[in-house]
Amino acid sequence: MESLLKHKSLNEIAYEIIRDKILKGEFEPGSRIREDLLAEAISMSRTPVREAINRLIADGLIISRVRKGLYLVQPTSPEIDDYIDIRCALEKLAIEKCIKKINEEQKTKLRANLQQFRAAIDRGDFEACNALDADFHMTIAQIANNGKLIALLRDLSAFFQLARRTEKREHPKEKNEQTFREHSLIFEAIMAGDTEAACNAIMANIETMRRNLHADSVKTSSTGRPNSLIA
């Protein structure tokens, strides 16, 4: 903590700690958030925690309900469609720019991601699979080299990491195998410089995610999940 304080503000540290806990699945989607208990849990004062919560609201990971308090987001079907429609447009743009700009070093980086993904599936490390899934898409955006595009996709990535954490609890190996196959098709099209095939492949990948998230959303609305207090 001391070394972090030399370079980052308390607000930034609180934000990163809480965001990391959310994306690692330490809190259930839909759980209530109490600022005082969260501050106690991460051993910080309420002021930086409050600022961190405000940033997480802006990120779309926490929602504020009038006269009810703060809750970790639990995506609904309409929200899933809204976010995915935006992501489709951004990912298509990223692919188009990526194919025009990619160099050999960047091709090697994408290939390494796929190799690591394959290894993570084989050893049953589905936490690593989730991280590598997000990293594959962000690497394409970084190769596209458009700062605004990268920032928008990074914000969306946090929402989808949270949403997919619950979706991939059932049949994680099969779902990650499907993701690996789809990423492989995207990679092959990028290597071939085939923009149309790459766009089609990444749209298919996102549509698979849409179907799975909708199925999970329906299941959640019918069975519910515990609204455990974040502390």
Side-chain angles (χ1 to χ4, degrees):
M1 178 69 77
E2 184 177 347
S3 61
L4 284 174
L5 288 172
K6 294 178 181 178
H7 305 287
K8 297 181 180 180
S9 68
L10 286 174
N11 292 353
E12 186 70 22
I13 294 168
Y15 170 76
E16 291 183 359
I17 291 173
I18 298 168
R19 186 178 186 274
D20 187 59
K21 285 179 176 292
I22 290 171
L23 296 182
K24 283 184 176 178
E26 293 188 21
F27 311 128
E28 283 287 338
S31 298
R32 185 184 173 197
I33 297 170
R34 275 185 51 185
E35 180 187 298
D36 56 338
L37 296 181
L38 188 54
E40 182 180 345
I42 66 171
S43 302
M44 297 186 75
S45 69
R46 293 179 65 171
T47 299
V49 168
R50 185 179 304 119
E51 291 300 318
I53 287 172
N54 287 336
R55 285 185 63 182
L56 291 163
I57 290 172
D59 289 347
L61 295 179
I62 291 176
I63 57 175
S64 178
R65 296 175 179 166
V66 178
R67 292 189 293 275
K68 291 186 177 181
L70 301 167
Y71 292 82
L72 190 61
V73 69
Q74 186 166 351
T76 64
S77 286
E79 288 170 337
I80 289 167
D81 279 331
D82 287 346
Y83 275 95
I84 286 183
D85 287 347
I86 295 168
R87 181 168 176 175
C88 282
L90 295 175
E91 293 262 18
K92 183 178 179 182
L93 177 60
I95 281 285
E96 291 170 350
K97 290 185 173 294
C98 169
I99 287 178
K100 292 177 181 177
K101 298 181 179 182
I102 193 166
N103 58 36
E104 291 304 316
E105 182 180 352
Q106 292 163 336
K107 290 177 182 178
T108 299
K109 186 174 182 180
L110 280 176
R111 185 179 292 108
N113 175 283
L114 285 176
Q115 292 169 343
Q116 292 165 20
F117 202 138
R118 178 70 266 165
I121 294 172
D122 291 343
R123 68 176 182 269
D125 187 351
F126 302 123
E127 287 290 333
C129 288
N130 289 340
L132 288 162
D133 182 359
D135 184 63
F136 181 82
H137 290 271
M138 284 308 305
T139 298
I140 291 171
Q142 288 161 357
I143 294 169
N145 196 28
N146 180 311
K148 296 297 184 184
L149 178 61
I150 292 168
L152 289 168
L153 282 170
R154 183 177 290 117
D155 288 344
L156 287 176
S157 178
F159 173 87
F160 285 110
Q161 283 185 68
L162 177 62
R164 299 204 79 184
R165 179 167 296 282
T166 57
E167 172 252 316
K168 283 192 173 182
R169 282 176 179 166
E170 294 187 2
H171 312 296
K173 182 174 175 59
E174 292 85 347
K175 288 179 178 178
N176 280 298
E177 288 281 7
Q178 177 71 19
T179 298
F180 177 77
R181 289 192 294 271
E182 291 170 348
H183 282 193
S184 296
L185 290 174
I186 296 166
F187 175 74
E188 290 166 8
I190 291 173
M191 294 304 99
D194 190 335
T195 301
E196 182 178 0
C199 286
N200 288 340
I202 207 161
M203 291 302 104
N205 177 231
I206 295 171
E207 287 303 319
T208 296
M209 179 174 61
R210 186 198 300 266
R211 289 193 300 273
N212 288 339
L213 287 174
H214 274 307
D216 183 69
S217 177
V218 169
K219 189 177 300 181
T220 299
S221 64
S222 63
T223 62
R225 287 197 180 99
N227 260 6
S228 57
L229 181 68
I230 290 184

PDB file of all heavy atoms in Angstrom, residues 189-212:
ATOM      1  N   ALA A 189      -8.769 -14.724 -39.992  1.00  0.00           N
ATOM      2  CA  ALA A 189      -9.204 -13.716 -40.959  1.00  0.00           C
ATOM      3  C   ALA A 189      -8.311 -12.479 -40.904  1.00  0.00           C
ATOM      4  O   ALA A 189      -7.991 -11.882 -41.942  1.00  0.00           O
ATOM      5  CB  ALA A 189     -10.662 -13.336 -40.695  1.00  0.00           C
ATOM      6  N   ILE A 190      -7.894 -12.096 -39.697  1.00  0.00           N
ATOM      7  CA  ILE A 190      -6.975 -10.960 -39.563  1.00  0.00           C
ATOM      8  C   ILE A 190      -5.649 -11.282 -40.247  1.00  0.00           C
ATOM      9  O   ILE A 190      -5.089 -10.461 -40.977  1.00  0.00           O
ATOM     10  CB  ILE A 190      -6.755 -10.606 -38.077  1.00  0.00           C
ATOM     11  CG1 ILE A 190      -8.034 -10.011 -37.469  1.00  0.00           C
ATOM     12  CG2 ILE A 190      -5.597  -9.618 -37.924  1.00  0.00           C
ATOM     13  CD1 ILE A 190      -7.959  -9.788 -35.968  1.00  0.00           C
ATOM     14  N   MET A 191      -5.133 -12.489 -40.025  1.00  0.00           N
ATOM     15  CA  MET A 191      -3.867 -12.886 -40.635  1.00  0.00           C
ATOM     16  C   MET A 191      -3.959 -12.870 -42.166  1.00  0.00           C
ATOM     17  O   MET A 191      -2.986 -12.551 -42.853  1.00  0.00           O
ATOM     18  CB  MET A 191      -3.461 -14.294 -40.172  1.00  0.00           C
ATOM     19  CG  MET A 191      -3.132 -14.421 -38.698  1.00  0.00           C
ATOM     20  SD  MET A 191      -1.836 -13.296 -38.115  1.00  0.00           S
ATOM     21  CE  MET A 191      -2.841 -12.005 -37.372  1.00  0.00           C
ATOM     22  N   ALA A 192      -5.144 -13.222 -42.681  1.00  0.00           N
ATOM     23  CA  ALA A 192      -5.344 -13.251 -44.132  1.00  0.00           C
ATOM     24  C   ALA A 192      -5.646 -11.867 -44.699  1.00  0.00           C
ATOM     25  O   ALA A 192      -5.733 -11.702 -45.921  1.00  0.00           O
ATOM     26  CB  ALA A 192      -6.480 -14.214 -44.473  1.00  0.00           C
ATOM     27  N   GLY A 193      -5.831 -10.884 -43.818  1.00  0.00           N
ATOM     28  CA  GLY A 193      -6.176  -9.544 -44.275  1.00  0.00           C
ATOM     29  C   GLY A 193      -7.571  -9.458 -44.852  1.00  0.00           C
ATOM     30  O   GLY A 193      -7.873  -8.566 -45.651  1.00  0.00           O
ATOM     31  N   ASP A 194      -8.439 -10.381 -44.440  1.00  0.00           N
ATOM     32  CA  ASP A 194      -9.804 -10.460 -44.971  1.00  0.00           C
ATOM     33  C   ASP A 194     -10.750  -9.719 -44.020  1.00  0.00           C
ATOM     34  O   ASP A 194     -11.254 -10.290 -43.047  1.00  0.00           O
ATOM     35  CB  ASP A 194     -10.219 -11.928 -45.107  1.00  0.00           C
ATOM     36  CG  ASP A 194     -11.526 -12.110 -45.868  1.00  0.00           C
ATOM     37  OD1 ASP A 194     -12.343 -11.171 -45.883  1.00  0.00           O
ATOM     38  OD2 ASP A 194     -11.723 -13.203 -46.429  1.00  0.00           O
ATOM     39  N   THR A 195     -10.993  -8.452 -44.322  1.00  0.00           N
ATOM     40  CA  THR A 195     -11.799  -7.610 -43.435  1.00  0.00           C
ATOM     41  C   THR A 195     -13.224  -8.136 -43.296  1.00  0.00           C
ATOM     42  O   THR A 195     -13.772  -8.179 -42.186  1.00  0.00           O
ATOM     43  CB  THR A 195     -11.829  -6.163 -43.959  1.00  0.00           C
ATOM     44  OG1 THR A 195     -10.491  -5.661 -44.025  1.00  0.00           O
ATOM     45  CG2 THR A 195     -12.649  -5.267 -43.038  1.00  0.00           C
ATOM     46  N   GLU A 196     -13.827  -8.533 -44.405  1.00  0.00           N
ATOM     47  CA  GLU A 196     -15.213  -9.013 -44.353  1.00  0.00           C
ATOM     48  C   GLU A 196     -15.331 -10.263 -43.487  1.00  0.00           C
ATOM     49  O   GLU A 196     -16.225 -10.359 -42.632  1.00  0.00           O
ATOM     50  CB  GLU A 196     -15.722  -9.308 -45.762  1.00  0.00           C
ATOM     51  CG  GLU A 196     -17.183  -9.769 -45.779  1.00  0.00           C
ATOM     52  CD  GLU A 196     -17.707 -10.021 -47.181  1.00  0.00           C
ATOM     53  OE1 GLU A 196     -16.938  -9.847 -48.151  1.00  0.00           O
ATOM     54  OE2 GLU A 196     -18.892 -10.403 -47.313  1.00  0.00           O
ATOM     55  N   ALA A 197     -14.422 -11.223 -43.684  1.00  0.00           N
ATOM     56  CA  ALA A 197     -14.468 -12.456 -42.895  1.00  0.00           C
ATOM     57  C   ALA A 197     -14.207 -12.172 -41.420  1.00  0.00           C
ATOM     58  O   ALA A 197     -14.840 -12.767 -40.538  1.00  0.00           O
ATOM     59  CB  ALA A 197     -13.446 -13.457 -43.427  1.00  0.00           C
ATOM     60  N   ALA A 198     -13.282 -11.255 -41.133  1.00  0.00           N
ATOM     61  CA  ALA A 198     -12.968 -10.918 -39.742  1.00  0.00           C
ATOM     62  C   ALA A 198     -14.157 -10.249 -39.066  1.00  0.00           C
ATOM     63  O   ALA A 198     -14.480 -10.554 -37.908  1.00  0.00           O
ATOM     64  CB  ALA A 198     -11.743 -10.010 -39.684  1.00  0.00           C
ATOM     65  N   CYS A 199     -14.817  -9.341 -39.779  1.00  0.00           N
ATOM     66  CA  CYS A 199     -16.002  -8.676 -39.222  1.00  0.00           C
ATOM     67  C   CYS A 199     -17.118  -9.685 -38.974  1.00  0.00           C
ATOM     68  O   CYS A 199     -17.778  -9.657 -37.928  1.00  0.00           O
ATOM     69  CB  CYS A 199     -16.484  -7.576 -40.160  1.00  0.00           C
ATOM     70  SG  CYS A 199     -15.445  -6.090 -40.154  1.00  0.00           S
ATOM     71  N   ASN A 200     -17.324 -10.588 -39.930  1.00  0.00           N
ATOM     72  CA  ASN A 200     -18.358 -11.614 -39.758  1.00  0.00           C
ATOM     73  C   ASN A 200     -18.043 -12.515 -38.564  1.00  0.00           C
ATOM     74  O   ASN A 200     -18.938 -12.879 -37.789  1.00  0.00           O
ATOM     75  CB  ASN A 200     -18.481 -12.462 -41.023  1.00  0.00           C
ATOM     76  CG  ASN A 200     -19.120 -11.707 -42.178  1.00  0.00           C
ATOM     77  OD1 ASN A 200     -19.805 -10.699 -41.967  1.00  0.00           O
ATOM     78  ND2 ASN A 200     -18.898 -12.174 -43.393  1.00  0.00           N
ATOM     79  N   ALA A 201     -16.769 -12.852 -38.402  1.00  0.00           N
ATOM     80  CA  ALA A 201     -16.369 -13.739 -37.309  1.00  0.00           C
ATOM     81  C   ALA A 201     -16.545 -13.066 -35.954  1.00  0.00           C
ATOM     82  O   ALA A 201     -17.012 -13.691 -34.989  1.00  0.00           O
ATOM     83  CB  ALA A 201     -14.917 -14.181 -37.499  1.00  0.00           C
ATOM     84  N   ILE A 202     -16.194 -11.789 -35.868  1.00  0.00           N
ATOM     85  CA  ILE A 202     -16.318 -11.118 -34.569  1.00  0.00           C
ATOM     86  C   ILE A 202     -17.788 -10.837 -34.244  1.00  0.00           C
ATOM     87  O   ILE A 202     -18.196 -10.884 -33.082  1.00  0.00           O
ATOM     88  CB  ILE A 202     -15.463  -9.831 -34.514  1.00  0.00           C
ATOM     89  CG1 ILE A 202     -15.081  -9.541 -33.054  1.00  0.00           C
ATOM     90  CG2 ILE A 202     -16.172  -8.626 -35.131  1.00  0.00           C
ATOM     91  CD1 ILE A 202     -13.904  -8.607 -32.902  1.00  0.00           C
ATOM     92  N   MET A 203     -18.617 -10.600 -35.276  1.00  0.00           N
ATOM     93  CA  MET A 203     -20.052 -10.443 -35.033  1.00  0.00           C
ATOM     94  C   MET A 203     -20.662 -11.758 -34.538  1.00  0.00           C
ATOM     95  O   MET A 203     -21.513 -11.765 -33.642  1.00  0.00           O
ATOM     96  CB  MET A 203     -20.766  -9.980 -36.306  1.00  0.00           C
ATOM     97  CG  MET A 203     -20.441  -8.554 -36.748  1.00  0.00           C
ATOM     98  SD  MET A 203     -20.806  -7.276 -35.513  1.00  0.00           S
ATOM     99  CE  MET A 203     -19.145  -6.914 -34.914  1.00  0.00           C
ATOM    100  N   ALA A 204     -20.209 -12.879 -35.110  1.00  0.00           N
ATOM    101  CA  ALA A 204     -20.704 -14.189 -34.659  1.00  0.00           C
ATOM    102  C   ALA A 204     -20.310 -14.439 -33.208  1.00  0.00           C
ATOM    103  O   ALA A 204     -21.103 -14.967 -32.413  1.00  0.00           O
ATOM    104  CB  ALA A 204     -20.148 -15.289 -35.561  1.00  0.00           C
ATOM    105  N   ASN A 205     -19.090 -14.050 -32.852  1.00  0.00           N
ATOM    106  CA  ASN A 205     -18.610 -14.190 -31.480  1.00  0.00           C
ATOM    107  C   ASN A 205     -19.471 -13.381 -30.512  1.00  0.00           C
ATOM    108  O   ASN A 205     -19.874 -13.867 -29.439  1.00  0.00           O
ATOM    109  CB  ASN A 205     -17.156 -13.735 -31.423  1.00  0.00           C
ATOM    110  CG  ASN A 205     -16.556 -13.758 -30.033  1.00  0.00           C
ATOM    111  OD1 ASN A 205     -15.974 -12.776 -29.586  1.00  0.00           O
ATOM    112  ND2 ASN A 205     -16.663 -14.870 -29.325  1.00  0.00           N
ATOM    113  N   ILE A 206     -19.801 -12.163 -30.890  1.00  0.00           N
ATOM    114  CA  ILE A 206     -20.605 -11.296 -30.025  1.00  0.00           C
ATOM    115  C   ILE A 206     -22.050 -11.797 -29.947  1.00  0.00           C
ATOM    116  O   ILE A 206     -22.688 -11.737 -28.890  1.00  0.00           O
ATOM    117  CB  ILE A 206     -20.543  -9.837 -30.518  1.00  0.00           C
ATOM    118  CG1 ILE A 206     -19.108  -9.305 -30.376  1.00  0.00           C
ATOM    119  CG2 ILE A 206     -21.498  -8.947 -29.722  1.00  0.00           C
ATOM    120  CD1 ILE A 206     -18.878  -7.958 -31.024  1.00  0.00           C
ATOM    121  N   GLU A 207     -22.572 -12.326 -31.055  1.00  0.00           N
ATOM    122  CA  GLU A 207     -23.941 -12.848 -31.041  1.00  0.00           C
ATOM    123  C   GLU A 207     -24.050 -14.098 -30.166  1.00  0.00           C
ATOM    124  O   GLU A 207     -25.077 -14.321 -29.528  1.00  0.00           O
ATOM    125  CB  GLU A 207     -24.419 -13.144 -32.461  1.00  0.00           C
ATOM    126  CG  GLU A 207     -24.737 -11.896 -33.272  1.00  0.00           C
ATOM    127  CD  GLU A 207     -25.778 -10.998 -32.610  1.00  0.00           C
ATOM    128  OE1 GLU A 207     -26.762 -11.531 -32.050  1.00  0.00           O
ATOM    129  OE2 GLU A 207     -25.607  -9.770 -32.640  1.00  0.00           O
ATOM    130  N   THR A 208     -23.001 -14.911 -30.131  1.00  0.00           N
ATOM    131  CA  THR A 208     -22.988 -16.050 -29.205  1.00  0.00           C
ATOM    132  C   THR A 208     -23.099 -15.559 -27.772  1.00  0.00           C
ATOM    133  O   THR A 208     -23.860 -16.100 -26.959  1.00  0.00           O
ATOM    134  CB  THR A 208     -21.695 -16.872 -29.373  1.00  0.00           C
ATOM    135  OG1 THR A 208     -21.655 -17.429 -30.682  1.00  0.00           O
ATOM    136  CG2 THR A 208     -21.633 -18.007 -28.351  1.00  0.00           C
ATOM    137  N   MET A 209     -22.339 -14.519 -27.464  1.00  0.00           N
ATOM    138  CA  MET A 209     -22.395 -13.934 -26.128  1.00  0.00           C
ATOM    139  C   MET A 209     -23.792 -13.394 -25.836  1.00  0.00           C
ATOM    140  O   MET A 209     -24.321 -13.569 -24.735  1.00  0.00           O
ATOM    141  CB  MET A 209     -21.361 -12.814 -26.001  1.00  0.00           C
ATOM    142  CG  MET A 209     -21.356 -12.133 -24.646  1.00  0.00           C
ATOM    143  SD  MET A 209     -20.002 -10.951 -24.482  1.00  0.00           S
ATOM    144  CE  MET A 209     -20.389  -9.794 -25.789  1.00  0.00           C
ATOM    145  N   ARG A 210     -24.422 -12.747 -26.822  1.00  0.00           N
ATOM    146  CA  ARG A 210     -25.770 -12.207 -26.628  1.00  0.00           C
ATOM    147  C   ARG A 210     -26.744 -13.328 -26.247  1.00  0.00           C
ATOM    148  O   ARG A 210     -27.512 -13.200 -25.290  1.00  0.00           O
ATOM    149  CB  ARG A 210     -26.254 -11.507 -27.901  1.00  0.00           C
ATOM    150  CG  ARG A 210     -27.603 -10.787 -27.715  1.00  0.00           C
ATOM    151  CD  ARG A 210     -28.275 -10.470 -29.047  1.00  0.00           C
ATOM    152  NE  ARG A 210     -27.512  -9.610 -29.915  1.00  0.00           N
ATOM    153  CZ  ARG A 210     -27.644  -8.281 -29.983  1.00  0.00           C
ATOM    154  NH1 ARG A 210     -28.513  -7.664 -29.200  1.00  0.00           N
ATOM    155  NH2 ARG A 210     -26.922  -7.586 -30.845  1.00  0.00           N
ATOM    156  N   ARG A 211     -26.700 -14.431 -26.995  1.00  0.00           N
ATOM    157  CA  ARG A 211     -27.618 -15.546 -26.719  1.00  0.00           C
ATOM    158  C   ARG A 211     -27.394 -16.113 -25.321  1.00  0.00           C
ATOM    159  O   ARG A 211     -28.353 -16.372 -24.583  1.00  0.00           O
ATOM    160  CB  ARG A 211     -27.434 -16.648 -27.769  1.00  0.00           C
ATOM    161  CG  ARG A 211     -27.950 -16.303 -29.147  1.00  0.00           C
ATOM    162  CD  ARG A 211     -28.019 -17.533 -30.031  1.00  0.00           C
ATOM    163  NE  ARG A 211     -26.719 -18.158 -30.211  1.00  0.00           N
ATOM    164  CZ  ARG A 211     -25.855 -17.811 -31.168  1.00  0.00           C
ATOM    165  NH1 ARG A 211     -26.148 -16.829 -32.010  1.00  0.00           N
ATOM    166  NH2 ARG A 211     -24.701 -18.441 -31.288  1.00  0.00           N
ATOM    167  N   ASN A 212     -26.135 -16.301 -24.966  1.00  0.00           N
ATOM    168  CA  ASN A 212     -25.834 -16.865 -23.650  1.00  0.00           C
ATOM    169  C   ASN A 212     -26.247 -15.931 -22.519  1.00  0.00           C
ATOM    170  O   ASN A 212     -26.775 -16.369 -21.494  1.00  0.00           O
ATOM    171  CB  ASN A 212     -24.341 -17.181 -23.548  1.00  0.00           C
ATOM    172  CG  ASN A 212     -23.940 -18.375 -24.394  1.00  0.00           C
ATOM    173  OD1 ASN A 212     -24.772 -19.202 -24.752  1.00  0.00           O
ATOM    174  ND2 ASN A 212     -22.660 -18.458 -24.723  1.00  0.00           N
TER     175      ASN A 212
END
